[in-house]
């Protein structure tokens, strides 16, 4: 195939024809067309508005069904995972919370007893007789105010008395025998029962 030779006259003729078409055909016609397209006549009817509520997606039902199926499958799995987490951490967490509540019970009962017993001053060393009276009053307050399950968690009245005994600033002569035992006997009436238990 032989290449066609383009002469400079042909190039000039083509460019002249394009320029003439732009000047005489496109420009006079294009401007009125643009003006007519932008200005709508008064008798033109408006396009119907699309109602957003009437828009129906054909895949909406499939998405709802898929979500329901996934929730039906995942709900038992999530419940089982939650139960496993509770079983794993529930015991230690329950013990931690119970210990904190027992400590709070002992602190509140001790503070009450220190304010209620004559001769007891918070922060000062207590004598044997005053310490015994404070322990007895604290045990009585705990038994009167605390729920039964918390008293059981504290070890009963004896457990509360021992915890109060350890938390009090007592003088050096105070021992469990001369301070704690009289307090238990006064608060719980267990002096004779404890002696018989020791004898057995």
């Amino acid at each position: 195939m032989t290449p066609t030779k383009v002469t400079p006259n042909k190039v000039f003729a083509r460019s002249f024809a394009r320029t003439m078409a732009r000047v005489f055909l496109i420009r006079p016609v294009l401007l009125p067309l643009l003006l007519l397209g932008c200005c709508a006549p008064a008798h033109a009817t408006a396009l119907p508005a699309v109602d957003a509520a009437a828009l129906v997606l054909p895949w909406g039902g499939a998405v709802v069904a898929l979500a329901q199926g996934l929730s039906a499958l995942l709900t038992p799995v999530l419940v089982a995972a939650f139960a496993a987490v509770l079983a794993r951490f529930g015991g230690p967490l329950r013990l931690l919370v119970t210990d904190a509540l027992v400590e709070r019970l002992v602190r509140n009962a001790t503070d009450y007893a220190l304010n209620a017993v004559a001769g007891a001053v918070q922060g000062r060393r207590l004598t044997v007789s005053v310490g015994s009276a404070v322990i007895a009053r604290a045990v009585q307050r705990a038994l009167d105010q605390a729920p039964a399950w918390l008293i059981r968690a504290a070890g009963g009245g004896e457990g509360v008395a021992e915890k109060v005994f350890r938390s009090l600033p007592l003088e050096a002569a105070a021992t469990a025998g001369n301070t704690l035992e009289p307090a238990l006997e006064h608060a719980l009436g267990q002096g004779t029962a404890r002696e018989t238990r020791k004898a057995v």
Side-chain angles (χ1 to χ4, degrees):
M1 187 169 169
T2 59
T4 57
K5 189 174 183 182
V6 179
T7 61
N9 290 337
K10 286 184 183 178
V11 172
F12 176 75
R14 283 184 191 165
S15 67
F16 182 75
R18 282 186 196 143
T19 304
M20 288 304 184
R22 283 184 196 144
V23 170
F24 293 106
L25 294 176
I26 295 176
R27 282 193 184 160
V29 175
L30 185 61
L31 186 62
L33 282 178
L34 288 175
L35 289 175
L36 286 175
C38 292
C39 302
H43 63 277
T45 59
L47 292 174
V50 177
D51 188 12
L55 185 63
V56 178
L57 299 174
W59 46 269
V63 169
V64 170
L66 180 66
Q68 288 175 347
L70 284 175
S71 68
L73 287 174
L74 290 178
T75 300
V77 173
L78 291 175
V79 168
F82 184 68
V85 167
L86 277 182
R88 182 173 179 103
F89 297 110
L93 185 63
R94 184 173 49 240
L95 286 176
L96 184 67
V97 170
T98 304
D99 286 346
L101 289 175
V102 166
E103 287 178 16
R104 183 175 177 192
L105 168 69
V106 170
R107 186 174 59 247
N108 290 344
T110 304
D111 290 344
Y112 171 81
L114 285 171
N115 289 329
V117 173
V121 179
Q122 182 122 17
R124 288 194 186 165
R125 292 212 173 271
L126 304 177
T127 62
V128 172
S129 59
V130 173
S132 182
V134 168
I135 293 170
R137 183 65 64 96
V139 170
Q140 192 60 47
R141 175 70 173 185
L143 292 176
D144 291 343
Q145 298 295 321
W149 65 269
L150 189 56
I151 296 295
R152 282 193 303 273
E158 292 180 10
V160 172
E162 290 171 6
K163 288 175 177 52
V164 171
F165 173 72
R166 286 194 301 266
S167 69
L168 287 177
L170 297 169
E171 64 183 6
T175 63
N178 66 5
T179 307
L180 182 59
E181 294 292 335
L184 285 173
E185 186 176 344
H186 184 270
L188 305 175
Q190 292 183 346
T192 56
R194 289 176 68 85
E195 287 168 7
T196 56
R197 208 178 313 144
K198 283 180 184 177
V200 173

